[in-house]
């Protein structure tokens, strides 16, 4: 069974901006790689966008870090919430160092066992607010996270974003 917040799929949109500047002399971050399930989920989600003639969402390592962390936190706390530990999606993206012009998040939970990934996509597509998020032509990058807790509940997070446009014109 897939449970949704208050019986409805729920989405929150937030916007906060923070520039990311890597510290000099720091070791390089580990190479980014998607899990098989994340890759499959991204392919299914981008297929929905392609059907509406929208460009595919590009995977962004920082957004994956945020989505994975949020799914793990929801699984640990056994709560499907956009706001956990006093932080909303925009604050989590900000803390990761992603400078964005727009950000949004979809979440879901599958109780008892992992739902087929196609069912997660179907649930998001059947919810107007989640579908609008996925099909928003103003987002271009995404991050995904899937985490399972000891009860067998599987939590899913998709973070959508568009990098902040930098005005490069000079006077």
């Amino acid at each position: 069974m897939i449970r949704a917040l208050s019986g409805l799929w729920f989405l929150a949109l937030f916007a906060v901006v923070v520039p990311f500047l890597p510290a000099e002399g720091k070791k390089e971050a580990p190479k980014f790689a998607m899990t098989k399930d994340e890759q499959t989920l991204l392919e299914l989600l981008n297929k929905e966008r392609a059907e509406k003639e929208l460009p595919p969402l590009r995977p962004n390592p920082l957004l994956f870090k945020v989505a994975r962390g949020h799914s793990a936190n929801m699984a640990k706390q056994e709560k499907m919430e956009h706001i956990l530990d006093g932080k909303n999606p925009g604050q989590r993206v900000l803390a990761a160092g992603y400078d964005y012009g727009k950000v949004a998040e979809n979440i879901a939970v599958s109780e008892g066992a992992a739902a087929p990934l196609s069912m997660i996509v179907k649930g998001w597509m059947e919810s107007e607010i989640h579908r609008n998020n996925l099909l928003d032509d103003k987002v271009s990058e995404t991050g995904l996270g899937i985490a399972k807790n000891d009860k067998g509940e599987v939590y899913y997070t998709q973070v959508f974003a568009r990098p902040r446009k930098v005005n490069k014109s000079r006077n």
Side-chain angles (χ1 to χ4, degrees):
M1 177 172 117
I2 298 173
R3 180 171 45 100
L5 188 62
S6 301
L8 298 173
W9 291 91
F10 180 74
L11 161 77
L13 298 172
F14 301 91
V16 185
V17 177
V18 141
F20 176 70
L21 300 173
E24 288 188 21
K26 296 279 183 176
K27 291 183 179 179
E28 279 191 42
K31 294 274 184 192
F32 168 72
M34 285 185 272
T35 67
K36 181 180 176 188
D37 283 345
E38 290 168 343
Q39 180 65 45
T40 299
L41 186 55
L42 181 60
E43 289 169 4
L44 291 168
L45 293 162
N46 277 334
K47 181 179 177 188
E48 295 292 340
R49 288 179 61 88
E51 288 176 9
K52 301 296 184 193
E53 298 181 5
L54 293 168
L57 293 169
R58 295 182 309 273
N60 179 286
L62 286 176
L63 297 177
F64 268 79
K65 178 181 175 183
V66 171
R68 289 169 174 170
H70 189 59
S71 286
N73 196 18
M74 288 191 299
K76 178 182 173 187
Q77 295 190 38
E78 299 175 11
K79 295 179 184 177
M80 186 180 73
E81 303 278 341
H82 288 284
I83 299 173
L84 284 179
D85 303 326
K87 292 184 180 178
N88 65 43
Q91 291 166 321
R92 288 189 293 274
V93 170
L94 173 72
Y98 186 97
D99 185 13
Y100 65 86
K102 182 172 187 171
V103 69
E105 174 181 83
N106 286 350
I107 58 176
V109 63
S110 175
E111 297 174 340
L117 296 172
S118 61
M119 292 300 295
I120 299 303
V121 174
K122 183 178 188 280
W124 283 337
M125 290 303 292
E126 289 177 351
S127 162
E128 181 179 0
I129 198 160
H130 290 90
R131 181 179 58 252
N132 289 345
N133 233 6
L134 176 61
L135 301 178
D136 187 345
D137 64 352
K138 294 179 179 47
V139 294
S140 57
E141 298 183 335
T142 195
L144 298 164
I146 304 169
K148 184 176 182 178
N149 65 17
D150 293 338
K151 287 185 170 180
E153 299 167 327
V154 182
Y155 291 81
Y156 305 84
T157 302
Q158 182 174 22
V159 176
F160 304 87
R162 179 191 74 233
R164 176 174 292 282
K165 291 182 181 178
V166 178
N167 185 353
K168 295 183 179 181
S169 65
R170 296 182 185 185
N171 295 340

